[in-house]
Amino acid sequence: MQGSDTIFDKILAREIPAAIVYEDDDVLAFKDIQPQAKVHVLVIPKRRAASLNDLKDQPPSNISAFLIGVSNAAEHLGLVQGGYRVVLNTGRDAGQTVFYVHAHILGGEPLGTFGS
Ligand code: AMP
């Protein structure tokens, strides 16, 4: 979905429900509806960007706040000790389907070798 009215805009605006697991001033984190791992959470910045390509045009403080928010969400989920994977699908070839930038956090179990 492209434009500024994606499903994640609606989740952030609380117009549609989501299983929210973490929130702070900068990010919102909620469970992916089609989990690919025992823990699969999506983290979005509260200041919207369509993808990483657009996020890079924002002030560096916004970008660092997003990454810190991803790390804080993973910590909140108890993933620090075991480790976790962060994926930022960007654009068509990566299979990005929702054009509101989002980090996938995957973990809670040993993950396959990347790309397998
Ligand atoms: P991507 O391919 O990186 O754009 O991933 C989009 C992700 O959003 C997919 O893993 C979907 O399962 C997930 N998704 C789509 N709609 C929702 C929703 N309403 N709540 C939670 N996750 C969603």
Side-chain angles (χ1 to χ4, degrees):
M1 189 186 290
Q2 221 138 4
S4 60
D5 202 20
T6 69
I7 195 130
F8 295 171
D9 289 275
K10 293 188 171 79
I11 287 173
L12 183 60
R14 306 303 207 267
E15 290 169 9
I16 64 165
I20 293 169
V21 293
Y22 177 79
E23 181 172 20
D24 63 25
D25 288 345
D26 298 306
V27 302
L28 182 71
F30 48 92
K31 291 183 183 177
D32 196 294
I33 45 165
Q34 288 188 290
Q36 305 296 313
K38 190 170 170 193
V39 177
H40 186 173
V41 162
L42 303 173
V43 185
I44 61 170
K46 290 190 172 176
R47 288 171 288 266
R48 98 177 305 287
S51 76
L52 188 59
N53 296 327
D54 300 300
L55 187 66
K56 75 167 169 34
D57 295 329
Q58 292 190 7
S61 57
N62 289 11
I63 300 162
S64 57
F66 177 44
L67 273 182
I68 291 166
V70 171
S71 176
N72 283 336
E75 185 174 21
H76 184 78
L77 291 162
L79 298 176
V80 170
Q81 194 178 356
Y84 56 95
R85 180 171 293 154
V86 176
V87 176
L88 281 160
N89 288 328
T90 305
R92 185 192 59 214
D93 282 356
Q96 183 178 1
T97 57
V98 182
F99 284 83
Y100 188 126
V101 68
H102 52 280
H104 295 252
I105 295 178
L106 300 147
E109 61 184 341
L111 302 169
T113 306
F114 187 74
S116 66

